Amino acid sequence: MAAILEMKVITTEQNPKALGATVPELGIDKLPAHLNLGTHSKTLFSMFTPEVCKALGGRYANWHDASAVIDPEGIDRVIIVGIESHVCVFQTAMDAAGRNNGNGPRPIVLADAVSSINPQEIAVSLDRMRHSGVDVATSESVLFQLMGDASHPRFREFSKLVKEEKDNTSGTLQKMIGAVPI
């Protein structure tokens, strides 16, 4: 969907030497070069390392360096997915919400695209994020929001992929959210 919607994607990996790299099934390497902002290893629990902030540009560009020039064409809104909802996802969302300072679009965490080694952590983390200025939604809801209109030039391609992934989406919702209240 990132390719269809022309969404830029940045990937971070928490200490990949010890914890492993991003799984190829996500297809990050298949994104067109102008949409793939790279894969960055980190030890910081938040993804907002100086290197990542520079790659994002916009409101994030000078996060770690007040003298840096802000690129107005940089990323304005972030959609967060990932592993360990109560650690890296939570701290990334809190940093994004804090950077927003009540101005501009709120960060979005996709409830069906976060996980935890302890599944009980997910609902608590999503609740904490929601109460701290982060929007919590499902991936399909946000994708349709981004598509905006059935008259979009790539709507047929978008709709076809939604239909092809219907069973996967349903299974993921059940597995990731299930009966856990969010």
Side-chain angles (χ1 to χ4, degrees):
M1 286 298 192
I4 292 171
L5 293 169
E6 290 286 315
M7 295 170 55
K8 293 181 179 179
V9 174
I10 195 160
T11 306
T12 59
E13 298 173 333
Q14 182 70 24
N15 193 7
K17 287 181 183 175
L19 301 175
T22 302
V23 296
E25 291 85 354
L26 292 177
I28 302 297
D29 59 332
K30 294 178 184 160
L31 283 172
H34 72 285
L35 297 179
N36 187 343
L37 299 180
T39 299
H40 306 269
S41 64
K42 65 184 184 68
T43 58
L44 188 67
F45 294 126
S46 171
M47 70 166 273
F48 289 109
T49 66
E51 180 183 47
V52 167
C53 289
K54 183 179 178 185
L56 291 173
R59 73 175 70 233
Y60 303 99
N62 72 342
W63 196 329
H64 296 280
D65 179 3
S67 67
V69 176
I70 295 179
D71 170 13
E73 298 301 317
I75 304 299
D76 189 47
R77 182 155 203 178
V78 295
I79 299 170
I80 303 165
V81 302
I83 299 171
E84 298 309 331
S85 60
H86 59 296
V87 183
C88 295
V89 173
F90 178 79
Q91 290 186 36
T92 297
M94 292 301 92
D95 278 353
R99 186 67 178 161
N100 191 20
N101 291 325
N103 300 315
R106 293 164 34 141
I108 301 172
V109 171
L110 301 183
D112 56 333
V114 299
S115 66
S116 174
I117 194 165
N118 301 310
Q120 300 80 359
E121 297 277 8
I122 299 170
V124 174
S125 297
L126 293 174
D127 189 54
R128 286 183 71 198
M129 288 183 250
R130 186 182 298 110
H131 285 91
S132 298
V134 175
D135 287 339
V136 176
T138 62
S139 55
E140 191 170 301
S141 171
V142 170
L143 290 170
F144 272 94
Q145 178 184 351
L146 293 170
M147 176 56 60
D149 192 323
S151 67
H152 187 284
R154 296 190 75 179
F155 182 74
R156 282 184 163 216
E157 184 180 3
F158 172 87
S159 179
K160 180 181 179 213
L161 188 53
V162 168
K163 288 176 186 171
E164 287 172 5
E165 293 297 324
K166 179 180 159 291
D167 290 340
N168 286 335
T169 300
S170 179
T172 300
L173 283 167
Q174 184 61 37
K175 186 179 229 178
M176 301 302 280
I177 299 174
V180 179
I182 56 167

